[in-house]
């Protein structure tokens, strides 16, 4: 079983420039929901009993494309870390930004937990 992926925008001045807090909060929920079905527990890692939580950091363009993706924190297992990055790539394109979100890109950071029950 997987825990829920929660995503929050990293603090940045652009996030406060013209975008309503409600629109940003709603968009963050949409991004988190889109990631969830693309998460896969690597079978070899699961068989080896590898568990942990990694943190993914990524930046989306206005049109929903992934501009960059990186590891914000390691789970301690390379297979789980690689899956965390691959999940974001598989999930693209994300929905375009809401009309009242004016910035050209938006950073996100999310914990991705892998635990065997």
């Amino acid at each position: 079983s997987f825990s829920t992926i929660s995503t929050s925008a990293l603090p940045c001045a652009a996030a406060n420039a013209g975008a309503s807090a409600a629109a940003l909060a709603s968009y963050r929920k949409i991004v988190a929901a889109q990631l969830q079905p693309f998460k896969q527990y690597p079978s070899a890692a699961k068989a080896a009993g590898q568990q942990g939580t990694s943190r993914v950091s990524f930046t989306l363009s206005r049109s929903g494309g992934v501009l960059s993706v990186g590891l914000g924190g390691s789970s301690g297992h390379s297979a789980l870390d690689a899956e965390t990055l691959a999940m974001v790539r598989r999930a693209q394109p994300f929905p375009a930004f809401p009309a009242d979100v004016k910035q050209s890109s938006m950073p996100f950071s999310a914990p991705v937990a892998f635990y065997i029950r």
Side-chain angles (χ1 to χ4, degrees), residues 50-93:
Q50 294 178 354
Q51 301 183 95
T53 300
S54 53
R55 177 165 284 278
V56 65
S57 297
F58 58 101
T59 302
L60 297 181
S61 69
R62 278 201 69 74
S63 61
V66 176
L67 297 173
S68 65
V69 61
L71 208 56
S74 175
S75 66
H77 300 284
S78 59
L80 301 182
D81 294 348
E83 167 53 27
T84 298
L85 299 174
M87 173 190 68
V88 175
R89 293 185 187 105
R90 284 194 304 271
Q92 69 180 322

Side-chain angles (χ1 to χ4, degrees), residues 7 33 38 74 90 107 112:
T7 306
F38 291 95
S74 175
R90 284 194 304 271
V112 183

Side-chain angles (χ1 to χ4, degrees), residues 16-31:
N16 300 323
S20 74
L24 283 171
S26 175
Y27 186 72
R28 284 194 287 272
K29 287 179 184 172
I30 290 166
V31 169

